Amino acid sequence: MLVLSRKKGESIIIDDQIEVKVVAVEGDVVKLGIEAPKSVSIHRQEVYRAIQEENQAARMADFDPEWLRAKLSRSRGK
C-alpha cells in the first residue's frame, strides 16, 4: 500500500486519468473530490461491498442445478 500525505487543495493522479483531490479536512474527516472518466465506477467501500453481496445473492437465486445437469448431459451426448 502506498501511503501519501496531502494537504487541502493538493491531489494525486492515478493512471493519468483519475485525480483524487483533498477538498476539506474537518477534524478527523477528510473530504475527497474524485475526477475520473465516466467509464470508471467509483463507490464508497461499504456501498461496493453491498453491491457485490447483492450480485452474488442474485446469481445464487437464479442458479438452477437441474438446468446444469441437462446442459452437461447434452454436451456429453447422453
Side-chain angles (χ1 to χ4, degrees), residues 22-35:
V22 178
V23 176
V25 179
E26 300 168 359
D28 62 348
V29 175
V30 177
K31 292 185 179 180
L32 302 174
I34 303 168
E35 289 190 30

Side-chain angles (χ1 to χ4, degrees), residues 7-43:
K7 295 177 182 175
K8 181 180 174 184
E10 294 180 334
S11 61
I12 62 169
I13 305 296
I14 301 170
D15 198 27
D16 292 329
Q17 58 181 334
I18 301 169
E19 179 179 9
V20 180
K21 184 174 187 176
V22 178
V23 176
V25 179
E26 300 168 359
D28 62 348
V29 175
V30 177
K31 292 185 179 180
L32 302 174
I34 303 168
E35 289 190 30
K38 292 200 181 286
S39 61
V40 176
S41 298
I42 302 171
H43 301 285

Side-chain angles (χ1 to χ4, degrees), residues 1-2 7 9 11 13 24 30-31 33 51 55 58 71 77-78:
M1 175 190 309
L2 174 64
K7 295 177 182 175
S11 61
I13 305 296
V30 177
K31 292 185 179 180
I51 291 168
N55 288 342
K71 187 85 166 162
K78 292 183 180 180

Side-chain angles (χ1 to χ4, degrees), residues 48-64:
Y48 177 79
R49 285 186 179 158
I51 291 168
Q52 295 301 309
E53 288 171 7
E54 286 294 320
N55 288 342
Q56 179 67 22
R59 281 192 295 273
M60 295 308 290
D62 291 341
F63 179 69
D64 180 0

